[in-house]
Amino acid sequence: MFAQTFRFADQRSQWTAFQSRVRSAFEPRKPRHRLLRFVLGVVGLGLLALLVFFSVFVGAAMIAVGLAYKLWQRRGKPMTARAKARGDVVEGEFRVVAPRALPRDRSAGPAR
């Protein structure tokens, strides 16, 4: 059953009046004057632009602080020592092979 089933007729008008007052308290109202409406719209757009501008600088500051922290952690350690300590560096000698010296795979079909 719904909650509306057991309401009495004399309380209903009081309840709707209360709902109307609460709804109108939080309902945004636009001013009727055209110029005032325009000014408030421009103020709202300015506030929005200010918040976006501020958030971009906060984000840039967070990135800068993170990079500074990473660089601070690496200070005094040479790059090769860090790489060797991790163990993911492969040392060796390499030479460039000319493309004509490589054997051609005939089973793959024509290369076009």
Side-chain angles (χ1 to χ4, degrees), residues 39-112:
V39 168
L40 287 178
V42 169
V43 167
L45 287 175
L47 182 64
L48 181 65
L50 181 73
L51 290 173
V52 168
F53 187 72
F54 180 72
S55 66
V56 165
F57 278 109
V58 167
M62 289 172 62
I63 291 171
V65 168
L67 288 174
Y69 178 75
K70 285 282 194 183
L71 290 173
W72 183 261
Q73 293 296 319
R74 291 183 181 180
R75 73 185 190 289
K77 300 176 186 172
M79 292 286 276
T80 56
R82 284 192 305 242
K84 286 182 181 178
R86 286 194 315 229
D88 60 351
V89 175
V90 178
E91 292 186 20
E93 293 182 14
F94 306 96
R95 66 184 177 112
V96 177
V97 179
R100 292 184 185 167
L102 295 174
R104 193 170 188 186
D105 186 17
R106 304 262 182 212
S107 63
R112 290 187 181 210

